[in-house]
């Protein structure tokens, strides 16, 4: 039950952070960068769960990070 409560609170915090970002930043930039959230899940899976990634997946991660840098810069 405690984990469910923490998960709910973090979900609300994430939604509020997203809404704040959409109000204070350029929508095109914020929407594009938030669409790349699966990169964080992949990096956590590799780092925490020691999931293997193929070279194609690794290339996709690198290209996603480069795209983030180009869009933000």
């Amino acid at each position: 039950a405690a984990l469910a409560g923490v998960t709910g609170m973090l979900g609300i915090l994430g939604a509020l952070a997203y809404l704040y970002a959409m109000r204070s930043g350029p929508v095109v930039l914020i929407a594009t960068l938030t669409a790349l959230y699966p990169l964080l899940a992949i990096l956590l899976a590799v780092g925490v769960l020691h999931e293997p990634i193929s070279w194609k997946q690794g290339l996709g991660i690198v290209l996603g990070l480069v795209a983030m840098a180009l869009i933000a810069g």
Side-chain angles (χ1 to χ4, degrees):
L3 181 61
V6 170
T7 302
M9 296 301 279
L10 289 175
I12 291 170
L13 183 64
L16 290 174
Y18 179 75
L19 290 174
Y20 176 75
M22 290 298 256
R23 289 187 65 197
S24 62
V27 173
V28 172
L29 177 64
I30 303 300
T32 305
L33 292 179
T34 56
L36 294 172
Y37 77 89
L39 289 177
L40 179 62
I42 293 168
L43 294 174
L44 284 172
V46 170
V48 176
L49 301 175
H50 307 291
E51 291 280 332
I53 58 170
S54 69
W55 70 270
K56 289 180 184 179
Q57 292 168 327
L59 179 63
I61 292 169
V62 169
L63 291 176
L65 294 173
V66 169
M68 271 199 315
L70 290 173
I71 291 169

